[in-house]
Amino acid sequence: MNFSHSFYVKPAAHEVVEATVALSADQRPALVGTVHSADGKAAAGALVTIYCADAPEPPVGALYTDEQGQFAFGPLEPGRLYHVKVFQRSDGVRILE
């Protein structure tokens, strides 16, 4: 079972807001996973995008994997088909000056 809670916050300048969150049961699904590179190591910084298969633009969401190659999307719509694309850069980065 998944759990969720949401709220709004509008902090003032130099304010620290402390929040206590009580999660409630949520029937909506989520997608979690781990990306591995071709050599089997965790793929940190891989770009993961998720699209609705019947309406491929714009993406539902996009994020980068963490240091362990892990990612999480949610909540999703039950019964809907999603297309997940994963991209990881393998070449060097050229910095423009």
Side-chain angles (χ1 to χ4, degrees):
M1 171 147 321
N2 297 320
F3 298 90
S4 70
H5 183 80
S6 68
F7 59 95
Y8 295 92
V9 63
K10 187 176 183 180
H14 306 290
E15 179 180 35
V16 175
V17 178
E18 182 178 332
T20 300
V21 176
L23 296 173
S24 302
D26 191 335
Q27 299 298 319
R28 297 174 296 177
L31 172 66
V32 298
T34 304
V35 177
H36 297 276
S37 60
D39 62 4
K41 295 180 182 175
L47 176 62
V48 181
T49 54
I50 184 168
Y51 301 85
C52 292
D54 59 349
E57 297 295 332
V60 173
L63 53 80
Y64 290 96
T65 57
D66 66 12
E67 292 299 318
Q68 290 79 40
Q70 298 175 339
F71 66 92
F73 281 107
L76 301 173
E77 293 180 41
R80 187 157 198 181
L81 179 63
Y82 292 93
H83 182 189
V84 180
K85 296 181 181 182
V86 180
F87 175 79
Q88 184 179 31
R89 185 184 72 242
S90 62
D91 51 356
V93 175
R94 183 172 62 101
I95 299 174
L96 295 177
E97 294 183 23

